[in-house]
Amino acid sequence: MIVTFSHDTEQALGTLVRLVNTMPGPNSQVDTLETLEELEKFVQEREVSAVDSLSEKDLAEVRELRPLFSPVFTTDSDAAAAAMINAIIARGTSTPRLTNHDGHPWHIHYSRDGSSLACRITVECGIALAQVISAGERERLRRCEAPDCDDALIDLSRNRSKRYCDARTCGNRLHVAAYRERRKASGE
């Protein structure tokens, strides 16, 4: 059975991955969500709709979400993932409604326009994760397999074969290293 997620679910999952990957990690001590300008860029890049002007409070609240969502990408249990996701969703206020804005077909927003950015991310991304778990697809949530990267990723490939957060960087770097190692081993 091939599971496909709706556009809004995939959008929320992409937003979540991008958010989690702003955190400093073991292989990179760079936090890419430290300033209001970086938050505004994040909102623009991820096309988060119905966001009013952002404040330092929004920045602090969104930054607080990252360590809540991050462990979902490393758990090896549906029950543990469900418990984390339920706790995350409970932090927000959900008011589901149908909408068809910005040229997108009808889809569900789980938070009200005018909700804080943190509430919107909490609910929208939490529900998207709940849909992944309820579809029996938790293994699509994982970390990059490159030894020097620990970024979160969502594998939306048909055969669950995505191994790297970005094939052009992490994947290519490993392929080049393996090629050089094979050439070295063969005496070239």
Side-chain angles (χ1 to χ4, degrees):
M1 179 175 89
I2 297 173
V3 175
T4 56
F5 298 105
S6 66
H7 170 268
D8 51 312
T9 297
E10 288 186 14
Q11 176 70 15
L13 293 169
T15 297
L16 176 60
V17 164
R18 174 71 174 87
L19 177 66
V20 169
N21 290 341
T22 64
M23 293 174 55
N27 297 312
S28 170
Q29 297 306 309
V30 178
D31 187 328
T32 59
L33 193 59
E34 290 188 306
T35 67
L36 199 51
E37 291 77 27
E38 289 170 331
L39 180 61
E40 289 166 349
K41 182 179 176 186
F42 171 84
V43 167
Q44 182 179 22
E45 285 175 356
R46 294 307 309 158
E47 298 177 357
V48 180
S49 61
V51 174
D52 294 328
S53 60
L54 297 169
S55 68
E56 291 294 329
K57 179 181 178 194
D58 292 307
L59 177 62
E61 289 174 348
V62 170
R63 287 173 52 86
E64 288 174 10
L65 296 176
R66 301 179 304 174
L68 299 176
F69 280 112
S70 183
V72 175
F73 291 90
T74 55
T75 186
D76 59 358
S77 158
D78 286 355
M84 286 182 242
I85 294 165
N86 286 337
I88 290 167
I89 293 170
R91 293 173 55 104
T93 303
S94 182
T95 309
R97 66 183 177 83
L98 284 167
T99 184
N100 67 340
H101 60 88
D102 299 327
H104 296 293
W106 287 103
H107 60 281
I108 301 171
H109 277 195
Y110 293 94
S111 58
R112 285 189 298 270
D113 289 351
S115 295
S116 72
L117 178 60
C119 179
R120 293 181 59 121
I121 290 172
T122 298
V123 175
E124 303 290 336
C125 294
I127 295 292
L129 286 172
Q131 291 172 344
V132 170
I133 301 305
S134 67
E137 298 290 331
R138 180 190 42 79
E139 64 275 0
R140 292 182 181 276
L141 306 169
R142 59 178 89 117
R143 294 290 182 163
C144 182
E145 291 182 20
D148 59 344
C149 182
D150 63 343
D151 279 357
L153 65 91
I154 176 75
D155 181 358
L156 296 174
S157 67
R158 291 174 67 107
N159 62 356
R160 296 182 188 104
S161 62
K162 186 172 180 177
R163 298 176 53 207
Y164 307 110
C165 62
D166 184 355
R168 287 171 285 160
T169 54
C170 289
N172 192 45
R173 192 171 54 248
L174 287 177
H175 291 296
V176 168
Y179 171 77
R180 287 181 180 154
E181 193 61 35
R182 284 191 306 272
R183 287 193 54 140
K184 183 178 170 184
S186 69
E188 292 180 29

